[in-house]
Amino acid sequence: DIPLLARVFQILDIYDALRSERPYKKPFTKEKALSILMEERDQGMLDPSLIDSFITMMTTSDIDTNTEFTGDDMGYDTYQGIQTLEPMY
């Protein structure tokens, strides 16, 4: 049995890889990425209940899946232009 948290991170990692631009590929659209996850669910490769919950969340919420999370030059995290107070180191 694969622990629940590992199965959750597996889905997040796959979705991130599909949505991210790489030197060898353009990012997939949100719709195409979710379609690929559903295909993998149907093939038994991913947890069906977690995929269904993830797809529901991604299609019914206002989550901006194009927002990037980066570290700025001062060592602080910047998310959507808002600087947090927790150092990255």
Side-chain angles (χ1 to χ4, degrees), residues 22-69:
R22 304 283 195 230
Y24 52 87
K25 74 165 193 71
K26 297 286 185 191
F28 287 103
T29 64
K30 175 181 173 180
E31 293 75 20
K32 181 62 177 172
L34 294 177
S35 175
I36 291 170
L37 289 174
M38 287 187 285
E39 289 173 18
E40 292 189 1
R41 173 202 62 198
D42 294 343
Q43 294 172 4
M45 297 166 57
L46 299 172
D47 184 312
S49 63
L50 290 178
I51 288 293
D52 292 344
S53 295
F54 182 76
I55 289 171
T56 298
M57 178 188 70
M58 294 302 291
T59 57
T60 60
S61 69
D62 291 331
I63 294 174
D64 178 3
T65 58
N66 291 322
T67 301
E68 292 185 13
F69 183 78

